[in-house]
Amino acid sequence: MTKDGRAVTAQSEDFSAWYNEVITRAELADRGPVRGTMVIRPYGYRIWELLQEELDRRIKATGHQNAYFPLLVPASYLDREAEHVEGFAPELAVVTHAGGKELEESVVVRPTSETIIGEMMSRWISSHRDLPMLLNQWANVVRWELRPRTFLRTTEFLWQEGHTAHADAEDAMRETMLALRIYTEVARDVAAMPVVPGEKTPGERFAGAARTFTIESMMRDGKALQAGTSHYMGTNFARAFGIRYAAEDGRLETCHTTSWGMTTRMIGAVIMTHGDDRGLVLPPRLAPYQVVVVPIGRGEEIAAAAARVAERLAAAGVRVHVDDRPQHSPGYKYNEWELRGVPLRLELGPRDLAAASAVLAWRIGGEKENVALADLEEIVPRALDEFQDLLLRRAADFRAAATSAVDDWAGFRAAAADGWAAAFHCGEAACEQQIKAETAATARCVPNDAPEAEGTCVRCGRPSAYGKRVLFGRAY
Ligand SMILES: [Zn+2]
């Protein structure tokens, strides 16, 4: 409890404290003993599993196959792609000793798997008939974090990484955009996050990529969070690892590759997109429990009725939990499940039972209402769908209200102080750096669906480089 009796610090008071308290009190995660590592607790891990199921289904439905590559990668592999090694060197964990002696060649714990998958693709691809090669792996990776934040930046995190090889640029770009579309849909339809898909400016690209695309999401403190990325590598990795194929005319050609990833960071994004001063708010499609049933009073009759309700809802495909802990009052349970973000609560007491009804309460956005027990299989799934839609609408409204199109520097500073600024930019890295130094805002993306427009750079006045406005904001 905070000093004034609230379960967690108010968002407006200290957003960062609010975030950490929600994670701890909702039992999503704990800190690991090695700095920057996290332990994902069962309630948090279930959210990840639900996201994983939705994403994995879409990845497979679009023709990709799952595989698994080793955690340990020869250090020399990273050296083969100059920009890649430069980008990742500061974050690498390197194994120098094993089996009781110093290794002849150092081994790195994968920070990402382009190199080892590139090496294996070069062995598996020889003809145009082997293309496209569409692989995905679910794995953990390690990037040594200097400023760790649970779920957002952890030394070890979980993700999927798609890696594909194609005959030409056109096919590889089609794949890059397909992955971005999958991420956009999962964020919107599963996590209720109305993300902005777009391209990163050259200064924000993945190390070794020719083009990087992102989905950007607004958190409730107005900051941006990159929630998934899709990279077109050109032939950079294919040249470094010799991924070549014999074309139909027999000539040896170099493949074009892509990679794309979504991580446990999404859990942090869900917390900060939907949470409020009472704690977590979970979109039903990611909620470990979509409904909690709280029996009021201790009679056997009530307990049996609660169990029956749960059984019926489970049979209707609803994830339901009965909180029958005798040591806690109903009020205590209401607060706890609100803190843990459960979308719906059913209260069941003797009077309700006598009237063959229950009280349905929404975590946000609805009045308490009496519902007939006979209709639960119809009412609850519908309420869950409405709740899911409500969260998406609420997040979209919030983002719209905190995003401003600006054409002058004073307007930019004001917009970027607590939200996003849509502005013209010259495309120069030095100018982007200057903006970051003065406002802490970075170019989040050039939105794919922004209307074409011309203007002059909001900072330096040179002509716009992108033919549309760029989104800027402070970011996680
Ligand atoms: Zn400029």
Side-chain angles (χ1 to χ4, degrees):
M1 287 278 171
T2 59
K3 273 176 287 180
D4 54 359
R6 276 195 319 263
V8 288
T9 300
Q11 289 184 335
S12 57
E13 200 176 301
D14 185 343
F15 196 83
S16 168
W18 170 86
Y19 177 75
N20 291 329
E21 287 167 18
V22 166
I23 287 172
T24 304
R25 304 238 14 233
E27 298 181 6
L28 296 173
D30 210 335
R31 288 199 184 133
V34 172
R35 190 180 135 79
T37 60
M38 68 173 162
V39 178
I40 308 177
R41 300 185 66 178
Y43 195 64
Y45 196 77
R46 185 71 186 121
I47 297 173
W48 176 242
E49 284 182 326
L50 290 163
L51 180 74
Q52 196 176 26
E53 281 168 25
E54 295 276 2
L55 188 49
D56 195 59
R57 187 161 49 78
R58 289 166 171 85
I59 288 171
K60 286 177 178 147
T62 44
H64 305 86
Q65 290 182 303
N66 285 341
Y68 189 79
F69 294 83
L71 171 75
L72 300 174
V73 178
S76 60
Y77 278 25
L78 273 86
D79 297 334
R80 291 198 211 166
E81 215 293 329
E83 280 186 29
H84 191 64
V85 70
E86 193 190 321
F88 279 104
E91 302 178 348
L92 285 182
V94 184
V95 181
T96 55
H97 289 73
K101 58 183 182 33
E102 192 171 350
L103 295 175
E104 277 177 34
E105 189 194 347
S106 296
V107 159
V108 301
V109 183
R110 63 179 163 219
T112 175
S113 303
E114 277 77 8
T115 61
I116 191 158
I117 294 179
E119 168 66 21
M120 299 315 294
M121 279 180 166
S122 76
R123 299 184 198 178
W124 298 338
I125 295 170
S126 56
S127 152
H128 63 92
R129 289 180 208 92
D130 300 323
L131 298 173
M133 184 166 281
L134 308 174
L135 301 177
N136 178 63
Q137 86 164 341
W138 289 95
N140 57 341
V141 289
V142 167
R143 299 177 186 177
W144 218 256
E145 278 295 347
L146 298 177
R147 292 173 300 127
R149 292 290 305 274
T150 306
F151 292 123
L152 305 179
R153 274 194 313 270
T154 46
T155 289
E156 178 187 0
F157 59 86
L158 305 181
W159 74 348
Q160 60 68 221
E161 47 181 322
H163 293 270
T164 67
H166 305 262
D168 54 33
E170 194 190 352
D171 201 47
M173 269 309 295
R174 190 160 44 232
E175 169 74 18
T176 307
M177 301 317 284
L178 169 68
L180 193 71
R181 196 159 64 244
I182 292 174
Y183 290 156
T184 304
E185 287 172 8
V186 165
R188 184 191 61 208
D189 300 341
V190 178
M193 287 163 44
V195 295
V196 177
E199 183 165 9
K200 287 287 185 192
T201 58
E204 301 279 330
R205 259 181 217 144
F206 178 79
R211 300 180 73 177
T212 286
F213 293 82
T214 176
I215 51 170
E216 295 289 323
S217 186
M218 183 183 277
M219 305 295 102
R220 288 191 74 78
D221 60 352
K223 284 196 193 173
L225 184 140
Q226 176 182 298
T229 48
S230 182
H231 315 290
Y232 166 59
M233 301 300 191
T235 56
N236 294 346
F237 284 90
R239 275 186 279 111
F241 289 89
I243 313 174
R244 285 189 286 266
Y245 68 98
E248 278 182 68
D249 61 9
R251 273 205 318 223
L252 207 55
E253 301 277 2
T254 302
C255 287
H256 291 246
T257 65
T258 82
S259 77
W260 30 278
M262 185 176 262
T263 80
T264 35
R265 181 167 234 241
M266 273 293 280
I267 300 173
V270 165
I271 297 168
M272 293 194 290
T273 299
H274 302 304
D276 65 13
D277 286 350
R278 287 188 292 151
L280 193 60
V281 179
L282 287 172
R285 281 170 208 145
L286 289 179
Y289 305 133
Q290 296 170 313
V291 184
V292 63
V293 180
V294 179
I296 299 163
R298 300 211 175 160
E300 264 175 45
E301 205 188 345
I302 292 289
R308 255 194 326 274
V309 162
E311 215 170 282
R312 282 173 48 202
L313 287 175
V318 175
R319 291 188 290 276
V320 57
H321 174 68
V322 179
D323 187 352
D324 54 7
R325 293 174 296 174
Q327 72 274 29
H328 293 306
S329 68
Y332 178 96
K333 294 174 183 177
Y334 299 169
N335 287 336
E336 179 169 321
W337 293 112
E338 283 177 2
L339 173 80
R340 299 186 78 183
V342 175
L344 300 177
R345 178 176 76 230
L346 275 173
E347 306 165 9
L348 193 60
R351 249 177 300 170
D352 303 306
L353 204 54
S357 68
V359 174
L360 178 67
W362 292 40
R363 172 62 178 77
I364 55 167
E367 298 289 315
K368 275 195 182 190
E369 53 178 335
N370 281 297
V371 294
L373 287 179
D375 300 336
L376 285 181
E377 285 94 338
E378 192 192 322
I379 290 169
V380 169
R382 194 174 60 218
L384 288 171
D385 283 345
E386 284 172 20
F387 193 90
Q388 181 86 25
D389 293 345
L390 167 77
L391 289 194
L392 180 63
R393 255 195 337 269
R394 176 172 167 264
D397 290 347
F398 181 85
R399 188 187 75 201
T403 304
S404 317
V406 291
D407 291 312
D408 62 88
W409 185 236
F412 183 99
R413 293 189 78 114
D418 51 19
W420 291 357
F424 293 108
H425 191 259
C426 61
E428 296 296 326
C431 183
E432 264 185 63
Q433 283 302 321
Q434 187 64 31
I435 290 176
K436 186 178 180 182
E438 289 179 52
T439 66
T442 50
R444 303 317 306 153
C445 71
V446 186
N448 287 349
D449 58 0
E452 288 181 18
E454 291 300 334
T456 55
C457 177
V458 71
R459 181 67 192 84
C460 72
R462 280 176 287 193
S464 156
Y466 302 103
K468 50 171 79 167
R469 288 174 187 273
V470 180
L471 272 185
F472 284 85
R474 293 165 306 136
Y476 281 97

